[in-house]
Amino acid sequence: MKRRILGGTGMSVSEYALGAMMFGAMGNSDHDVCIRMIHTALDAGVNLIDTADVYSGGESEVIVGKALKGRREEVVLATKFGLAMGDDANLRGGSVRWIRRAVEDSLRRLDTDHIDLYQMHRPDPDTDIDETLAALSDLVRGGKVRAVGGSFFAPEETVEAQWTAERRGHHRLRTEQSPYSILTRGVESRVLPTAQRYGMGVLTFGPLNSGWLSGRTDPTTGHRNAGAGAKMFDLSQPGVRAKADAVQKLTALAAEAGLPLAHLAVAFVRSHPAVTSVLIGPRRPEQLADLLAGADVALGDDILDRIDDIVPPGVDVNPDDFYIDPTPPITDKRLRRR
C-alpha cells in the first residue's frame, strides 16, 4: 500500500483510508465482524482509519477502539466532531464548550489518550472560527490531538480559517475532507485547488457514489435506496437519469480497460494530485476484500481522457447529490432575516 504525507503534518498515511461510518447500527452491527474487517485493512497496509462521534451515536468509535487494542501505534486515527449528538443545541457545533466535551467523549469511546487528526465535521455558522480554532489549538498543545482539519468546508471558509489561524497564532486546519467521485467532480473547480494552495491534505469519501459505481447490475437497488435517500435513486429525477446514463458508459469503459468498475472509480480519485487518501467505507467483508484488490490500479492518460469525455471535469452529474457550500444563503433557512 503506497503512502503519502498528510498535509504537511509529517504523518505518513496510506492512499486508502478505512472509513468507519458503516460500523455499528448505521451499517453492520456485528462488532466482531467489524473488528475483523479493521484488522484485515491494517494487515493489507491501510494505516489511516477515519470515524466520527456521530456515526451510530458513538458506536463506530467504540468498535474502532476495540479493534485497535494492541495496535494503536500502527494507526493514524482520525475522528470528527460538530454534528448533533442530541436534541440540545449545545451538543453540537464548534464552541469551546462543546469541543472540550466532545473530544473527551471521543477519547473515551476510542480508548486512547490522543487523536491523530481531529476534524470539524461541518463548518458552524453560529460560532466564530477564531473561537473554534483557539479551542482546537488548546487540544494540540495539551497533547490530546496531533493535528486538526475540516470537512465539507467551502473554499471561502477554508481561506477564512487559514487567515484567522495565521493572524491569531492558532494551529491551522491541515486537512479537508470532501466527497469526490467520477460522478461528483464539483470539488475539482474550487475545493481541491484551495486545499492545494494552502498545502492541505485532502481526504475524500464516496468514491463509489453510494453504490452507483460499485459495479452492481442495477445501482438503483441496494440498502441505501430507501427512506431519506430514496430520491437519490429515483429515475424519474433528471439528475438521477443522467447518472444512470453516465454509469452505463463508465461500465463499458471499465470493461474495455479490463477493470472492475469499482477499481476504475477509486483509481480515478487517487489520480488527482490534491488527494492524499481515499476513504473506502465497506459494510461487509467481501466489499472490503474487493476494494483492497484494486489498491495498485493506476489509470493512464488515455483512460482519464475517456472519463473526462463522459463526465467533464468540475461537474456534478446530479447537482442534488451533495452541496459543497455548506451554508448556501438561498436554501439555508437559518440565514433568513428574522
Side-chain angles (χ1 to χ4, degrees), residues 28-309:
N28 191 332
S29 58
D30 189 323
H31 286 209
D32 291 337
V33 171
C34 293
I35 290 169
R36 286 197 296 270
M37 290 172 66
I38 293 172
H39 291 168
T40 296
L42 295 181
D43 293 341
V46 174
N47 80 326
L48 174 56
I49 297 179
D50 177 86
T51 183
D53 55 5
V54 75
Y55 295 162
S56 298
E59 187 182 3
S60 173
E61 288 187 324
V62 170
I63 292 170
V64 170
K66 290 179 180 178
L68 295 187
K69 285 186 181 298
R71 304 190 69 169
R72 174 65 182 89
E73 293 308 312
E74 298 177 37
V75 172
V76 174
L77 179 58
T79 192
K80 298 181 285 293
F81 73 94
L83 295 185
M85 291 295 287
D87 294 332
D88 190 326
N90 285 320
L91 300 179
R92 68 193 72 180
S95 68
V96 173
R97 183 179 191 272
W98 175 239
I99 288 173
R100 289 180 176 174
R101 173 174 170 181
V103 73
E104 296 297 338
D105 289 344
S106 286
L107 288 168
R108 183 185 69 255
R109 288 188 291 262
L110 290 165
D111 194 19
T112 186
D113 63 356
H114 72 280
I115 295 163
D116 295 303
L117 177 63
Y118 199 42
Q119 303 156 99
M120 192 172 186
H121 214 149
R122 295 289 188 274
D124 178 9
D126 296 324
T127 305
D128 192 325
I129 190 64
D130 182 37
E131 175 167 342
T132 299
L133 291 175
L136 293 173
S137 297
D138 285 344
L139 298 183
V140 176
R141 285 189 287 267
K144 295 180 179 181
V145 169
R146 300 295 188 251
V148 295
S151 176
F152 256 96
F153 272 56
E156 60 271 21
E157 290 168 322
T158 294
V159 171
E160 181 185 12
Q162 295 290 335
W163 285 8
T164 301
E166 179 180 349
R167 293 173 180 179
R168 300 289 189 175
H170 301 317
H171 286 267
R172 64 188 184 93
L173 300 182
R174 290 289 187 176
T175 62
E176 163 60 17
Q177 186 172 147
S178 294
Y180 186 33
S181 74
I182 296 175
L183 300 176
T184 50
R185 300 184 63 174
V187 294
E188 293 173 344
S189 61
R190 297 190 301 138
V191 173
L192 298 185
T194 301
Q196 286 177 294
R197 179 177 292 273
Y198 287 100
M200 300 171 71
V202 175
L203 310 179
T204 66
F205 63 90
L208 303 186
N209 196 240
S210 296
W212 277 93
L213 298 171
S214 66
R216 286 203 304 261
T217 303
D218 183 1
T220 64
T221 63
H223 74 284
R224 293 185 178 180
N225 67 343
K231 68 177 183 178
M232 313 309 291
F233 299 89
D234 181 0
L235 288 170
S236 69
Q237 303 296 318
V240 179
R241 288 200 305 274
K243 282 174 64 171
D245 290 342
V247 169
Q248 186 177 26
K249 295 174 183 176
L250 291 166
T251 300
L253 176 60
E256 185 180 331
L259 294 171
L261 180 58
H263 294 181
L264 177 86
V266 180
F268 166 82
V269 176
R270 281 176 35 236
S271 71
H272 196 292
V275 174
T276 307
S277 191
V278 182
L279 271 66
I280 55 173
R283 185 166 57 99
R284 301 190 306 271
E286 59 269 26
Q287 293 172 333
L288 174 61
D290 178 64
L291 289 167
L292 290 174
D296 293 328
V297 172
L299 304 181
D301 288 342
D302 55 337
I303 298 297
L304 293 172
D305 288 343
R306 296 275 299 279
I307 291 173
D308 288 349
D309 291 337

